[in-house]
Amino acid sequence: MTFLYRFTSLFPYILLLASLLTLWRPTLFTWFSGLWITTGLGAIMLGMGLTLEISDFKRILLYPKSIWLGIFLQFTIMPGVAFVLASLFSLQPAFSAGLILVGSCPGGTASNVISYLARANVALSVTMTGFATVFAVVMTPSLTSLLVGQAVKVNTIGLFVGTLQVVIIPISLGVLLNYLFPKWIKKVNQISPLISIVFITMIVASIIGASKKDLLHSGVALFGSVVCLHLIGFVLGYIISKWLLNDEIISRTISIEVGMQNSGLAVVLGKNNFADSLVSVPGAVSSLIHSLIGSFLASYWRNKQK
């Protein structure tokens, strides 16, 4: 387990390397497209489900205020800030919609790893990720449709159905398999983080490679808006939770959950439910940015606690 977390902590650097490689030679990764991307995200969500037990969902009784606060901040701060930043950075409509989609997504499994590295509350992190993901079936399509408006054609029904297919079904299947075959699943979980790293890296590198020209053309504005989105999420998540709960460890956990989104979900939903494929690009950039910021923040908090 220690080895796995150490290896997983290299995830941002693996992602950065793949992103640079795909900008140099896109064909290394662009073959990973279409059904491959949807299947990859489904595998990641299944892996998350395999780590959950029914008892995990009872943790809401232990941390009710923390969980609800984290979910509330996640679905208010991030989409609201994304909406404002898209205007401030004058992003083209497709990138604007993509940034709002990223902000409207729940936290991803990477936040659980970062919470561990930051010496935050991993159990709380897993529970918040699980609950936020369930709420995302309604919140992500609703917030995206509301904030994007008519600037870009949005398939709202497709967003609902897509979120259900690539989130709820694989996670539910994972929880069920873990309940029925706990000993076998325990062995599978030893390698599932590695599989998740491979798939998310391939998804991000594929989208960046396919959108190389547009990404380089709007690089400064897009990267700037994504960096600001996640930095604001981390900072406000920490400050507000520290002010309301006055608990350092829980505040770190909420900060990480708010600042880190399920960018892989944003990529798949953007690619499958918008007329302009460029909507998926901010999600790919987001995956790289929030992983790097989260890793550096985790290192800071971990050293601070020594």
Side-chain angles (χ1 to χ4, degrees):
M1 185 63 72
T2 301
F3 168 76
L4 271 179
Y5 274 111
R6 285 179 177 174
F7 181 84
T8 310
S9 68
L10 296 175
F11 167 58
Y13 307 103
I14 296 172
L15 198 56
L16 178 59
L17 176 60
S19 299
L20 293 175
L21 285 174
T22 196
L23 288 174
W24 169 60
R25 187 165 293 180
T27 53
L28 290 173
F29 297 95
T30 50
W31 61 269
F32 193 90
S33 60
L35 186 60
W36 277 108
I37 292 179
T38 304
T39 303
L41 182 63
I44 293 170
M45 292 293 101
L46 175 62
M48 176 181 168
L50 292 176
T51 66
L52 297 173
E53 299 177 2
I54 295 176
S55 60
D56 288 325
F57 292 91
K58 297 178 181 178
R59 289 191 182 123
I60 192 171
L61 300 176
L62 299 176
Y63 315 107
K65 292 182 180 179
S66 304
I67 291 172
W68 293 122
L69 176 61
I71 293 174
F72 174 77
L73 294 178
Q74 192 167 74
F75 287 120
T76 52
I77 288 176
M78 297 304 280
V81 170
F83 177 79
V84 173
L85 289 174
S87 177
L88 289 177
F89 280 86
S90 300
L91 297 181
Q92 60 171 283
F95 286 165
S96 176
L99 188 69
I100 291 171
L101 179 58
V102 169
S104 302
C105 280
T109 53
S111 65
N112 307 145
V113 177
I114 297 299
S115 291
Y116 170 82
L117 296 174
R119 293 181 176 172
N121 189 320
V122 179
L124 176 59
S125 175
V126 170
T127 306
M128 274 197 288
T129 300
F131 274 93
T133 302
V134 172
F135 279 110
V137 176
V138 173
M139 297 302 294
T140 298
S142 300
L143 288 168
T144 303
S145 298
L146 175 66
L147 296 175
V148 170
Q150 301 302 314
V152 175
K153 183 179 179 182
V154 184
N155 182 357
T156 305
I157 300 300
L159 280 174
F160 277 106
V161 175
T163 309
L164 179 67
Q165 289 176 335
V166 300
V167 175
I168 298 301
I169 293 177
I171 285 181
S172 300
L173 178 60
V175 173
L176 178 62
L177 290 173
N178 198 9
Y179 175 75
L180 296 175
F181 311 104
K183 292 183 178 179
W184 181 73
I185 295 301
K186 188 175 182 180
K187 296 179 179 179
V188 173
N189 281 339
Q190 294 178 1
I191 62 170
S192 61
L194 307 182
I195 295 174
S196 294
I197 287 176
V198 170
F199 276 123
I200 194 62
T201 300
M202 294 302 297
I203 290 172
V204 170
S206 172
I207 297 298
I208 290 178
S211 310
K212 176 182 176 180
K213 183 183 296 184
D214 297 283
L215 186 58
L216 294 177
H217 178 70
S218 302
V220 175
L222 180 59
F223 271 89
S225 63
V226 172
V227 169
C228 288
L229 173 64
H230 290 296
L231 280 176
I232 291 172
F234 279 113
V235 172
L236 289 184
Y238 179 83
I239 291 175
I240 294 174
S241 56
K242 189 67 181 293
W243 174 54
L244 293 175
L245 303 175
N246 195 30
D247 185 300
E248 173 66 21
I249 300 302
I250 288 179
S251 298
R252 291 182 188 181
T253 309
I254 292 178
S255 169
I256 293 167
E257 286 299 312
V258 174
M260 299 187 71
Q261 305 299 92
N262 190 336
S263 302
L265 177 61
V267 167
V268 172
L269 293 180
K271 196 169 185 63
N272 294 343
N273 299 286
F274 289 79
D276 193 332
S277 61
L278 290 179
V279 174
S280 63
V281 176
V285 176
S286 167
S287 183
L288 172 63
I289 298 299
H290 77 63
S291 296
L292 289 173
I293 296 175
S295 296
F296 293 135
L297 188 59
S299 177
Y300 167 75
W301 273 330
R302 192 177 186 87
N303 292 330
K304 184 180 178 181
Q305 197 167 319
K306 287 182 178 179

